[in-house]
Amino acid sequence: MTICRLGQQIHASLIKNGSVLDVFVFNSLLDMYCKCGQSEFAMKVFQGISEPSSTSWNIMICGFLSSGDLMSAQKLFDVMPYRDVSSWNTMLSAYAKCGELENAKRLFYEMPVRNLVSWNALIAGFSQNERFDEALSTFSEMLKAGIRPDKTTILSVVSAVSTISSPGDDVVKQVVGFARAIGSVSVLTAVLDMYAKLGRIDDARAIFDEISEKDLVSWNAMISGYSQNQKPAEAIQLFRDMQSECRVKIKADKLTMVSLISSCSQMGALALGEWVHTYIEKFGIEFDEYLAAALVDMYAKCGDLDRSRRIFQEMPRKDVALWNSMIKALAIHGEVKETLKIFAQMERNSVTPNDITFIGLLNACSHGGFAEKGLELFSLMQSQYQIVPRIEHYGCIVDLLCRAGRLTDAYDFVKKMPIKPDKVIWGALLSSCRSHQNVELAEEVARKLTELDPNHDGTYVLLSNVYASVGKWRDVKKVRDQMKAQNVQKAPGCSAVELDGVLHEFTAGDKTHPRFEEIYKAWDEIVKRIKPMGYEPDKGFSLKNLDEVDKEEALNRHSEKLALTFAFISTEHSQHKPAIKIVKNLRICGDCHTAMEFVSKLEGREIIVRDRNRFHHFKAGLCSCGGYW
């Protein structure tokens, strides 16, 4: 017998026995019928009460709201003879939760008396409906009214601060001060997550260290914060700290694993990624599409595309995120035809693509030189799937046209865009100007970029590249002087190679490695052997007006060449010589690209380089990119 049926029998028994029902019993019946979803029966009981109390009215209003009948609740509220603060708060919360914020605001300012619950309901409504500035202004108004925030207030405000671009130091300090005073684990965890989203990872760590009784949510927030702020080594180390400090008390879950997998992806650390994968299997962490998508992405970014394919194919259920992950994996490896086949299979399986799907597809076409196919997909995205292009899609098209050598078409496309181009789009154009040695357009585009972000090092470096490519060394010096005047620091080239599970990092001209002299000498010997094969150092990639010998010396010390040479000398006596996998933080330069082609032919060994844009598989003197990089 259901609870509702039992309640009806008790009600019937009371009436049959002629019991005198007071308002307390009536309220109990109202509450029972409302919780059982029987609002019609509840209304009949309510109408039978000669003098309903404020509790009776509130129960009925809550009953209508719980069944989703906002209109009936409002009608009842409007005819209430007396509304207490609880009545007002109930309706206010209902409007806020369903996104009717103008009605919520109207009720809020009509209230004769407000309490903390009233303020919390309105602030939460603004925050949950992404009206973050209004959430913060209401919070400020609340403080001026002398109301002290509680845990609920701070959680809503932290959510708002985490999302807006420039919350202001005063607001952040104020929120953190209240959070520290409250001191609960959930509030402090929300604050460390806020700091991480604002890019203030050291502040996030300081809050994390303050939490005396950390739970899994706290550990996950900090590990994720490191991963999202491109500090993968710190994320992995913190996970190891969690294991050693908490032992069996706190067990990692799916969210922990996704952050670790993302960290391995950033580092290109295959052995570490395999260890995380084994951990998932060993400890029985639920393996769903979410984790599968992360692993597909990780293995692809670590150079093991076959493992990505295998995980994808073995998943019995595939959601759109998993399909997108596979499309992206193939795209960064330049497997355009396979990418398009996967997309066709996705459509046949009746999985509707989203905006992220098309970013992957357009990137694949860009990296493979499939300009017309990319333009066709851009049109299909809008006409068949009604997806409104975002700035990322426009950026893909500009990149696509630039890589295909259609610089004029790319520039015309940018000028006709319905949304304002960002620095990524202008950067793609400026990079292409170097390839086509178009100084005039490069200068115009550089001005646009400087207006958007005067302190971005990439603008100055790309413009220097253009000038250097045509031998305008005086102009190169002017750009460098501008960088100094603006105190702009160029991000150093950094390359990493993983050997026996250990990651070795090199920067350009690196002399910190204990074997640097041996590495330098070995590369110089390689150069002597590939020059007769046709290799000529492209001194246009040396950004200083040096003499010819010094230019070649500077090129020879690029970080990817040092990483490659170290891998050679470290494995020269090994019987098994797998592909050498290098991860670089910047785009590989043209001279290094050419040199890798020759070395792969000379040594008869595959070299895989993951730069900022894509993968390059060098084999037998050729690169998988086909020149589209």
Side-chain angles (χ1 to χ4, degrees):
M1 182 181 293
T2 64
I3 297 295
C4 186
R5 181 68 179 159
L6 180 61
Q8 286 176 324
Q9 288 187 355
I10 294 171
H11 186 190
S13 176
L14 289 170
I15 295 172
K16 185 177 179 181
N17 294 330
S19 302
V20 178
L21 305 183
D22 61 16
V23 73
F24 179 78
V25 175
F26 275 122
N27 288 344
S28 298
L29 288 170
L30 285 178
D31 189 53
M32 181 271 293
Y33 280 122
C34 287
K35 286 177 178 174
C36 289
Q38 301 285 339
S39 54
E40 288 185 15
F41 282 110
M43 194 62 185
K44 287 179 181 178
V45 172
F46 178 76
Q47 289 169 342
I49 306 174
S50 57
E51 292 185 13
S53 66
S54 60
T55 303
S56 312
W57 289 89
N58 287 338
I59 290 171
M60 276 307 304
I61 289 172
C62 288
F64 280 128
L65 292 174
S66 63
S67 64
D69 191 351
L70 183 58
M71 187 177 294
S72 295
Q74 180 66 60
K75 285 180 180 178
L76 204 61
F77 177 78
D78 289 340
V79 296
M80 281 183 73
Y82 169 73
R83 301 169 187 161
D84 60 16
V85 71
S86 176
S87 313
W88 287 92
N89 286 341
T90 299
M91 287 305 303
L92 170 60
S93 297
Y95 277 122
K97 284 175 183 175
C98 69
E100 292 193 25
L101 294 175
E102 296 313 310
N103 279 327
K105 282 172 65 177
R106 176 181 56 80
L107 282 179
F108 180 80
Y109 288 108
E110 285 178 0
M111 291 178 70
V113 177
R114 303 183 194 103
N115 60 12
L116 179 59
V117 176
S118 319
W119 290 95
N120 283 349
L122 189 60
I123 292 169
F126 283 132
S127 185
Q128 289 162 9
N129 288 278
E130 300 184 4
R131 289 168 62 167
F132 303 116
D133 288 331
E134 288 173 274
L136 295 183
S137 64
T138 305
F139 174 63
S140 177
E141 190 181 343
M142 169 184 160
L143 296 179
K144 288 176 183 174
I147 307 294
R148 187 172 180 81
D150 66 356
K151 176 180 173 180
T152 303
T153 326
I154 297 302
L155 288 173
S156 294
V157 173
V158 164
S159 176
V161 173
S162 300
T163 314
I164 61 178
S165 55
S166 302
D169 285 342
D170 290 343
V171 175
V172 173
K173 284 179 184 177
Q174 199 172 42
V175 170
V176 173
F178 283 119
R180 281 184 165 133
I182 293 166
S184 78
V185 175
S186 60
V187 170
L188 290 174
T189 299
V191 168
L192 84 83
D193 183 62
M194 173 194 76
Y195 271 136
K197 286 175 179 172
L198 294 174
R200 295 170 58 172
I201 198 64
D202 291 338
D203 290 324
R205 183 57 193 255
I207 295 291
F208 176 78
D209 290 339
E210 285 180 27
I211 303 173
S212 55
E213 293 294 327
K214 300 176 183 69
D215 57 14
L216 179 59
V217 179
S218 308
W219 286 98
N220 278 351
M222 195 64 239
I223 292 169
S224 174
Y226 275 134
S227 180
Q228 291 168 4
N229 283 275
Q230 287 72 54
K231 290 185 176 289
E234 288 86 343
I236 290 161
Q237 183 56 52
L238 189 63
F239 171 67
R240 288 176 171 150
D241 292 344
M242 183 180 98
Q243 286 183 299
S244 61
E245 289 179 28
C246 304
R247 302 188 182 277
V248 296
K249 189 171 72 171
I250 294 178
K251 292 182 179 179
D253 65 1
K254 185 167 56 179
L255 295 177
T256 324
M257 294 299 106
V258 168
S259 294
L260 293 179
I261 292 166
S262 174
S263 297
C264 296
S265 299
Q266 292 173 41
M267 297 167 71
L270 180 60
L272 199 54
E274 290 173 328
W275 174 80
V276 175
H277 192 175
T278 302
Y279 184 98
I280 292 167
E281 293 172 342
K282 181 180 177 181
F283 290 96
I285 294 172
E286 180 192 1
F287 193 78
D288 58 7
E289 296 96 327
Y290 185 56
L291 264 184
L295 283 173
V296 165
D297 181 70
M298 183 274 290
Y299 278 119
K301 286 180 178 175
C302 290
D304 195 340
L305 188 57
D306 286 339
R307 193 85 67 92
S308 293
R309 289 187 182 102
R310 195 153 62 245
I311 291 170
F312 176 77
Q313 289 163 0
E314 289 173 357
M315 281 300 292
R317 294 192 312 274
K318 299 177 179 69
D319 61 7
V320 67
L322 183 52
W323 286 97
N324 287 348
S325 192
M326 192 67 238
I327 285 170
K328 181 183 174 185
L330 293 165
I332 61 174
H333 282 270
E335 299 287 348
V336 190
K337 292 180 180 178
E338 191 178 350
T339 304
L340 296 174
K341 283 181 182 178
I342 289 288
F343 177 59
Q345 187 183 343
M346 179 181 181
E347 289 187 304
R348 285 196 302 273
N349 286 18
S350 300
V351 179
T352 304
N354 59 19
D355 56 339
I356 297 170
T357 314
F358 283 94
I359 290 173
L361 291 168
L362 293 173
N363 274 325
C365 292
S366 177
H367 292 318
F370 283 51
E372 292 307 319
K373 184 62 180 178
L375 293 170
E376 179 189 320
L377 287 167
F378 184 68
S379 176
L380 177 79
M381 174 183 86
Q382 300 169 74
S383 61
Q384 184 170 327
Y385 293 105
Q386 286 76 52
I387 296 172
V388 178
R390 295 192 283 116
I391 191 71
E392 292 87 351
H393 298 102
Y394 287 109
C396 287
I397 294 297
V398 172
D399 190 56
L400 176 97
L401 294 170
C402 286
R403 290 178 191 275
R406 295 166 58 175
L407 185 56
T408 303
D409 289 342
Y411 188 44
D412 288 341
F413 181 83
V414 171
K415 288 190 287 187
K416 294 174 183 176
M417 279 172 51
I419 53 180
K420 187 178 180 181
D422 65 359
K423 60 186 180 183
V424 175
I425 289 175
W426 289 119
L429 268 175
L430 186 53
S431 179
S432 188
C433 288
R434 195 268 173 215
S435 305
H436 298 280
Q437 299 184 334
N438 190 326
V439 175
E440 184 179 349
L441 181 57
E443 291 174 335
E444 184 178 344
V445 172
R447 280 194 293 272
K448 300 280 189 185
L449 273 166
T450 306
E451 289 172 9
L452 287 172
D453 188 355
N455 296 315
H456 191 262
D457 65 316
T459 305
Y460 299 94
V461 172
L462 285 170
L463 187 57
S464 292
N465 281 334
V466 177
Y467 287 136
S469 70
V470 294
K472 290 193 168 188
W473 298 109
R474 187 174 296 174
D475 289 318
V476 171
K477 185 178 183 302
K478 283 182 183 177
V479 173
R480 294 289 163 163
D481 289 343
Q482 278 183 298
M483 287 181 73
K484 287 180 182 177
Q486 295 280 357
N487 197 28
V488 176
Q489 299 294 319
K490 177 185 177 295
C494 177
S495 297
V497 62
E498 186 180 22
L499 296 173
D500 298 324
V502 179
L503 212 62
H504 301 267
E505 291 187 320
F506 298 87
T507 54
D510 200 340
K511 292 187 177 181
T512 60
H513 197 279
R515 298 176 68 183
F516 86 88
E517 291 181 345
E518 186 183 354
I519 294 168
Y520 280 24
K521 184 178 178 181
W523 176 255
D524 292 341
E525 288 300 316
I526 289 172
V527 171
K528 288 178 185 177
R529 295 169 63 196
I530 60 177
K531 276 188 174 180
M533 297 169 65
Y535 168 67
E536 275 297 326
D538 187 347
K539 301 182 183 73
F541 284 96
S542 178
L543 297 182
K544 297 179 181 178
N545 189 13
L546 307 169
D547 61 38
E548 296 303 301
V549 174
D550 287 341
K551 283 181 186 177
E552 186 169 337
E553 172 69 13
L555 286 173
N556 285 343
R557 306 308 176 224
H558 280 191
S559 63
E560 55 265 60
K561 288 171 181 168
L562 301 182
L564 175 68
T565 309
F566 175 71
F568 276 138
I569 64 175
S570 299
T571 59
E572 59 184 339
H573 300 301
S574 303
Q575 288 185 339
H576 178 58
K577 295 183 179 179
I580 294 170
K581 297 172 184 175
I582 298 167
V583 177
K584 185 176 182 182
N585 65 328
L586 305 175
R587 186 172 181 260
I588 186 172
C589 85
D591 179 73
C592 288
H593 192 276
T594 302
M596 297 280 180
E597 290 177 323
F598 280 105
V599 174
S600 70
K601 186 175 182 179
L602 173 74
E603 298 290 339
R605 195 165 174 185
E606 185 178 6
I607 303 164
I608 302 172
V609 178
R610 184 187 109 188
D611 71 4
R612 187 171 59 186
N613 294 327
R614 59 164 297 154
F615 271 87
H616 301 264
H617 294 253
F618 299 96
K619 199 171 185 180
L622 299 172
C623 180
S624 61
C625 74
Y628 293 98
W629 55 281

